[in-house]
């Protein structure tokens, strides 16, 4: 099984995924961003883009890597990864379905004011990371148009990461 944690950058996916992993027996965290980083390391580089998810190989490589890990280890993969393009989510989720891999898709959601406050106080990328700020509107658009309908929404506006993780783990176990 895959427990996919989606949401905009700065929503708490990485922190929450580590806590979810501790609550779900026989699970591991797999950050699909590492697949993107591998593609970014190709020399000479792939065609220029502002987001490695736009490279067509990224989506099937995420599916294949997750499948291979699960074939090797069994259990569950907790995957913290922002996917805001509906077509990309469809490619990934249908690819996993073709391999009979069940996916529980969660979106960590917080209102825009909360997200901006979290980004302003970010100690990982620094305060007011332009990278994180640039995804607030695309996230809001995806949430309005398709994302929230495709996932179980966990409103983290007033939740600590441990509370969000507990909510997700309980949903997965039920």
């Amino acid at each position: 099984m895959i427990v996919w944690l989606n949401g905009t950058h700065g929503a708490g996916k990485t922190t929450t995924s580590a806590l979810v992993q501790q609550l779900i027996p026989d699970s591991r965290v797999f950050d699909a961003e590492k697949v993107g980083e591998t593609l970014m390391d190709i020399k000479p580089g792939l065609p220029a883009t502002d987001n490695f998810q736009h490279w067509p190989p990224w989506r099937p490589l995420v599916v294949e890597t997750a499948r291979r890990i699960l074939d090797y280890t069994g259990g569950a993969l907790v995957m913290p990864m922002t996917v805001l393009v509906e077509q990309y989510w469809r490619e990934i989720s249908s690819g996993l379905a073709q391999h009979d891999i069940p996916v529980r898709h969660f979106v960590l959601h917080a209102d825009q004011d909360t997200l901006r406050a979290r980004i302003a106080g970010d100690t990982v990328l620094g305060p007011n990371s332009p990278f994180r700020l640039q995804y607030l509107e695309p996230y809001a658009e995806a949430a309005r148009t398709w994302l929230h309908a495709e996932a179980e929404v966990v409103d983290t506006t007033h939740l600590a990461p441990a509370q969000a993780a507990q909510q997700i783990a309980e949903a997965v176990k039920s």
Side-chain angles (χ1 to χ4, degrees):
M1 164 185 282
I2 290 177
V3 179
W4 196 290
L5 302 187
N6 206 337
T8 193
H9 300 280
K13 295 178 305 298
T14 301
T15 301
T16 303
S17 67
L19 297 168
V20 169
Q21 185 274 323
Q22 294 171 15
L23 297 170
I24 298 175
D26 197 24
S27 66
R28 291 170 171 72
V29 174
F30 166 47
D31 188 343
E33 187 168 332
K34 301 301 181 194
V35 175
E37 290 173 5
T38 297
L39 293 173
M40 289 189 301
D41 285 343
I42 292 173
K43 305 291 183 223
L46 298 176
T49 182
D50 65 341
N51 185 334
F52 59 73
Q53 291 185 14
H54 298 321
W55 286 323
W58 180 77
R59 280 104 52 203
L61 284 171
V62 167
V63 170
E64 186 62 17
T65 305
R67 179 182 78 84
R68 295 289 181 151
I69 293 168
L70 287 171
D71 283 351
Y72 181 62
T73 64
L77 289 181
V78 180
M79 296 182 62
M81 187 71 222
T82 299
V83 178
L84 301 179
V85 177
E86 183 176 10
Q87 174 191 336
Y88 298 172
W89 176 251
R90 299 249 179 263
E91 288 178 40
I92 292 167
S93 59
S94 66
L96 294 167
Q98 287 173 358
H99 294 291
D100 297 319
I101 300 170
V103 177
R104 291 293 295 268
H105 184 198
F106 295 89
V107 170
L108 301 184
H109 173 79
D111 62 46
Q112 290 283 315
D113 290 340
T114 300
L115 287 169
R116 287 184 184 284
R118 289 177 183 170
I119 292 169
D122 183 16
T123 58
V124 177
L125 294 182
N128 295 312
S129 159
F131 173 79
R132 289 187 170 174
L133 288 169
Q134 79 180 354
Y135 284 97
L136 289 178
E137 184 49 42
Y139 167 74
E141 178 66 18
R144 278 192 302 274
T145 58
W146 70 273
L147 182 58
H148 283 194
E150 291 288 323
E152 299 170 63
V153 178
V154 178
D155 189 337
T156 66
T157 303
H158 303 291
L159 291 181
Q163 294 170 304
Q166 187 67 42
Q167 188 174 330
I168 292 164
E170 287 173 7
V172 168
K173 292 176 186 177
S174 64

